């Protein structure tokens, strides 16, 4: 599949597709967060979820602020499900696994 853009070349439609796809993957992680071990959750997150954010941050660096915020919220949600921690800051959780946000 190629890159989908709109008339203004903002990648909004592609980012929306990506958010749906990653959202489904995070939903699966959330359903099994109490069953899977911590190391398995990290592996799943690194293999299936984080590559999308790495790709987005390098390719779509000039996307709209609202799209960037949507991606960042999704990224934070994935990290929180891995740690099952909804109280601490996401930056400190990312630091624990040597990962940086977008």
């Amino acid at each position: 599949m190629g890159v989908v853009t709109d008339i203004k070349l903002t990648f909004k439609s592609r980012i929306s597709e990506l958010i749906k796809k990653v959202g489904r993957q995070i939903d699966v992680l959330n359903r099994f967060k109490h069953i899977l071990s911590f190391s398995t959750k990290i592996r799943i997150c690194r293999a299936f979820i984080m590559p999308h954010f790495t790709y987005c941050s390098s390719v779509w660096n000039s996307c709209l602020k609202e799209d960037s915020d949507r991606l960042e919220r999704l990224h934070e949600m994935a990290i929180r499900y891995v740690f099952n921690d909804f109280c601490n800051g996401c930056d400190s959780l990312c630091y624990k696994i040597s990962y940086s946000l977008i």
Side-chain angles (χ1 to χ4, degrees):
M1 180 171 152
V3 175
V4 179
T5 62
D6 60 3
I7 295 171
K8 297 180 183 179
L9 297 174
T10 60
F11 301 106
K12 189 169 192 69
S13 56
R14 177 62 181 135
I15 291 173
S16 293
E17 288 177 19
L18 181 69
I19 287 172
K20 287 178 189 176
K21 179 180 180 179
V22 174
R24 287 189 300 265
Q25 293 169 339
I26 292 172
D27 186 43
V28 170
L29 183 64
N30 181 36
R31 282 188 236 157
F32 296 110
K33 69 182 176 193
H34 297 294
I35 298 170
L36 301 172
S37 69
F38 178 73
S39 62
T40 303
K41 290 188 284 187
I42 286 179
R43 285 187 196 122
I44 290 171
C45 196
R46 283 186 175 156
F48 297 108
I49 298 170
M50 295 308 170
H52 296 292
F53 296 113
T54 305
Y55 177 76
C56 287
S57 64
S58 61
V59 174
W60 299 323
N61 198 17
S62 62
C63 69
L64 297 175
K65 173 79 168 117
E66 66 186 51
D67 291 333
S68 177
D69 290 345
R70 290 170 61 199
L71 288 168
E72 188 172 339
R73 280 193 303 273
L74 206 58
H75 192 183
E76 288 179 9
M77 188 184 326
I79 295 296
R80 291 187 184 285
Y81 286 147
V82 166
F83 281 94
N84 199 24
D85 184 347
F86 299 91
C87 299
N88 291 319
C90 195
D91 290 334
S92 65
L93 298 177
C94 288
Y95 179 76
K96 289 180 182 180
I97 58 171
S98 301
Y99 201 83
S100 63
L101 284 174
I102 297 174

